[in-house]
Amino acid sequence: MAVLCTVVVYNANIDCKRFFFNLTPHHVHQLNRGYKPDKNKVEDMCLFADVITNFANLKECYNYSNLYDWGFNCKVTCSINISNNQQQQMRNKILFESCNHQLRNTTISFRSDDPCLGKALQKLYEDKSKVPNIVHYIWLGTKQKQFKFYNFLSLYSVYKFQNPCVILIHGETVPYGEYWEKTVRIVKNIFHVYRKSPETIFRKKIKHIEHKADIVRLQVLREYGGIYLDTDTILLRSLDSLRNYTFSMSKTRKNTLGNGLILSAAGSKFIDIWLRNYNTFNPKKWGQHSVYLPFDLSIRNPELIHVENRTFLHGGTLDQIFLSNFKWSHLYALHLYIRYYKKCTYDEYTVCGLNTTLGSVARHVLFDSKELCSRFPLPDTWVNTKL
């Protein structure tokens, strides 16, 4: 049974993780009657999620992972299964021995202007697919930014479902924080590529960091080829079936193609045309060149692009992601649009009982099952993970 509750302030100094998974029938009964949490009470400050589940009323699931039943009326025992990947360590050795690099906050960093990087990446191509199995993220800004849980979830989903040759983080700085440390400890083939943010395009000043990221992702894909994801895009299954197209995007809303997930061969003609059309760039028109322009170009150049029908990103409302459940088994990925929804902060513990789309997606990535958890993994399981 799901219980809607008022969003209250989360106090990180309180052991809410333990309280959250030991809700008594009394608490649930109060919430069902419309009880409003009191932010001055310790136990109420723990009720920071939008949806809380009464575990006592749930039976054990017959199947651990079931993508046909979307009732979320049963529970499973969630466990973390992380395996060492010797193949990735061999790939890392190829890059180490090929190019000059330096250490930035315990992360290996290369320079984007070093031609050696592109040549070294070509040695990692393991099949004849048009799109190399290389994943790119953009992390722009001169000030170091903290890596959040949803960032970790994105990279871990890529590691788990796509198993790329390498994951490259492009930008001026390296992320920091607890979830970055967890990421680099689990995912062994992450590297930073130092790249300055563009200041102008066709002599027009680029004011917003989002517009800069729109351009950099196209430049990176044109140079190296591969798969680009936004840092809050969660991969739900492998993209290998699409890697034989030279360029792929997906429809989202009306007359748009989402740029939060793009597959491209190196030297894509579609990207060449896209970048040339930035000569009409207007910073006041927010999504004109990022999502509307590629849609128009796809109509004019259908031979240069494969267009998916809303399978890369969810084209619905934010409430469908954060306040309710919808069936996502047809999707390759889910874009969380986290910058538009900052009411709550979740982590690997609270998502265990979060009866929403975000909760089911996180459990699918972390525990191989979308179902609600009967208990949650101990913190030491994550902190002390050694591969």
Side-chain angles (χ1 to χ4, degrees):
M1 177 172 59
V3 182
L4 295 179
C5 68
T6 304
V7 178
V8 297
V9 178
Y10 172 54
N11 187 332
N13 294 322
I14 298 174
D15 186 14
C16 291
K17 293 166 185 173
R18 180 174 296 278
F19 175 85
F20 187 85
F21 290 96
N22 288 281
L23 285 174
T24 65
H26 171 71
H27 287 115
V28 175
H29 181 65
Q30 281 186 311
L31 290 167
N32 273 329
R33 295 180 61 185
Y35 171 74
K36 295 182 179 180
D38 183 349
K39 66 180 181 179
N40 295 315
K41 292 183 178 180
V42 170
E43 62 269 25
D44 284 6
M45 293 180 75
C46 293
L47 302 180
F48 62 94
D50 286 317
V51 179
I52 293 176
T53 300
N54 182 1
F55 296 98
N57 292 344
L58 295 180
K59 61 182 180 180
E60 292 293 329
C61 295
Y62 181 75
N63 293 322
Y64 185 77
S65 182
N66 187 348
L67 293 180
Y68 298 99
D69 182 358
W70 293 82
F72 296 98
N73 52 11
C74 63
K75 59 187 177 182
V76 299
T77 300
C78 296
S79 60
I80 300 165
N81 182 20
I82 300 173
S83 61
N84 194 0
N85 193 323
Q86 298 292 337
Q87 193 176 23
Q88 287 180 352
Q89 295 180 10
M90 292 299 296
R91 296 165 180 162
N92 296 352
K93 187 177 180 181
I94 292 175
L95 283 180
F96 290 155
E97 293 179 349
S98 300
C99 302
N100 293 327
H101 57 270
Q102 64 182 91
L103 205 60
R104 294 177 185 267
N105 290 356
T106 70
T107 303
I108 297 295
S109 179
F110 303 95
R111 292 189 62 87
S112 63
D113 57 3
D114 186 352
C116 169
L117 179 59
K119 294 178 182 178
L121 289 175
Q122 289 181 2
K123 297 179 182 179
L124 299 178
Y125 296 175
E126 298 174 336
D127 55 38
K128 296 182 179 180
S129 299
K130 295 176 181 178
V131 175
N133 197 17
I134 295 174
V135 169
H136 305 276
Y137 288 94
I138 308 299
W139 192 264
L140 300 182
T142 55
K143 292 184 178 179
Q144 201 175 21
K145 294 178 292 185
Q146 188 174 14
F147 210 63
K148 302 296 183 62
F149 170 66
Y150 57 85
N151 302 134
F152 165 78
L153 200 62
S154 177
L155 265 76
Y156 185 62
S157 69
V158 164
Y159 163 78
K160 187 169 185 176
F161 298 125
Q162 190 59 37
N163 187 26
C165 298
V166 66
I167 300 173
L168 300 178
I169 313 292
H170 302 264
E172 292 98 333
T173 64
V174 174
Y176 79 94
E178 173 191 0
Y179 285 109
W180 178 250
E181 293 173 2
K182 288 180 180 179
T183 302
V184 296
R185 188 162 59 243
I186 296 169
V187 185
K188 299 298 186 180
N189 59 337
I190 295 180
F191 299 99
H192 176 257
V193 179
Y194 178 79
R195 177 185 292 266
K196 288 186 177 181
S197 301
E199 297 298 326
T200 62
I201 187 162
F202 288 102
R203 299 183 180 180
K204 298 176 181 179
K205 187 174 182 180
I206 311 170
K207 299 178 180 179
H208 304 290
I209 194 169
E210 291 87 355
H211 288 163
K212 295 179 180 182
D214 290 339
I215 295 168
V216 171
R217 74 191 66 182
L218 298 182
Q219 294 172 335
V220 165
L221 288 173
R222 181 175 62 176
E223 183 174 1
Y224 304 117
I227 304 166
Y228 166 81
L229 292 93
D230 277 352
T231 56
D232 61 344
T233 294
I234 313 303
L235 195 64
L236 302 174
R237 54 187 169 119
S238 172
L239 297 164
D240 283 349
S241 61
L242 301 174
R243 287 174 51 222
N244 277 320
Y245 297 105
T246 56
F247 192 84
S248 297
M249 296 180 73
S250 176
K251 295 178 182 178
T252 51
R253 295 176 176 85
K254 184 178 180 181
N255 297 334
T256 65
L257 296 182
N259 70 342
L261 173 57
I262 304 173
L263 287 83
S264 178
S268 163
K269 293 181 180 179
F270 190 88
I271 291 183
D272 285 339
I273 297 172
W274 191 349
L275 286 172
R276 284 202 301 270
N277 275 268
Y278 262 87
N279 62 346
T280 60
F281 174 67
N282 183 347
K284 294 182 180 180
K285 295 183 178 180
W286 185 255
Q288 183 61 41
H289 284 72
S290 58
V291 294
Y292 290 102
L293 175 59
F295 178 83
D296 293 340
L297 294 177
S298 71
I299 301 299
R300 286 182 265 161
N301 304 275
E303 75 283 1
L304 299 180
I305 181 173
H306 168 73
V307 178
E308 284 284 311
N309 187 18
R310 301 191 178 192
T311 59
F312 283 10
L313 309 167
H314 172 54
T317 65
L318 293 176
D319 284 355
Q320 287 179 295
I321 299 175
F322 293 95
L323 293 178
S324 61
N325 279 298
F326 75 88
K327 184 178 178 179
W328 45 258
S329 57
H330 65 290
L331 297 178
Y332 283 99
L334 177 70
H335 190 188
L336 298 180
Y337 298 101
I338 205 76
R339 67 182 181 276
Y340 297 122
Y341 201 98
K342 299 179 180 179
K343 294 181 180 179
C344 289
T345 301
Y346 302 110
D347 58 22
E348 62 269 37
Y349 307 101
T350 52
V351 296
C352 293
L354 195 61
N355 199 0
T356 65
T357 299
L358 172 60
S360 67
V361 164
R363 293 189 297 272
H364 171 68
V365 172
L366 297 174
F367 312 122
D368 299 316
S369 174
K370 65 176 175 52
E371 305 300 341
L372 294 158
C373 299
S374 57
R375 64 179 180 83
F376 63 98
L378 296 174
D380 287 348
T381 310
W382 286 99
V383 175
N384 297 326
T385 297
K386 295 181 180 179
L387 302 181

